[in-house]
Amino acid sequence: MCHCEELTVNDLQEVFAFGARSFDDLKRMSRCGMGHCQAKYCYHHANELLATWMGVAESELSGTNHRIPIRPLPLKMLIGSDL
């Protein structure tokens, strides 16, 4: 299901059983979508599964909060060195 975090559909079903009702819930509870692709590959499939399990249309689900950096930082600022 989420190749980056090595999660299966069964893993997400367990999280759903514990109360996940949005992609952000899945993300917080299982790390789905937090890998290298940043949910580019699993987001729509995960929402499709959630909609099926909840018995609602996918359009009724809330979206996710994509957060991007405000501005890129040079690596030397992060390590505090004059490279």
Side-chain angles (χ1 to χ4, degrees):
M1 174 50 226
C2 178
H3 298 283
C4 299
E5 293 296 320
E6 298 180 1
L7 296 169
T8 65
V9 172
N10 288 335
D11 294 328
L12 296 186
Q13 280 179 315
E14 287 181 26
V15 174
F16 179 78
F18 281 105
R21 295 298 181 265
S22 69
F23 184 80
D24 285 341
D25 290 343
L26 289 177
K27 189 175 181 179
R28 279 189 287 275
M29 297 169 76
S30 71
R31 293 192 48 84
C32 180
M34 295 180 74
H36 295 290
C37 81
Q38 293 294 288
K40 287 179 183 76
Y41 296 106
C42 60
Y43 175 75
H44 294 291
H45 188 61
N47 267 347
E48 188 178 88
L49 290 172
L50 278 173
T52 300
W53 295 334
M54 293 172 61
V56 300
E58 196 174 337
S59 61
E60 292 181 38
L61 296 175
S62 61
T64 188
N65 297 317
H66 292 286
R67 295 178 186 93
I68 58 172
I70 294 174
R71 63 188 168 108
L73 295 175
L75 186 57
K76 66 182 178 182
M77 287 184 71
L78 297 175
I79 60 174
S81 175
D82 293 331
L83 295 176

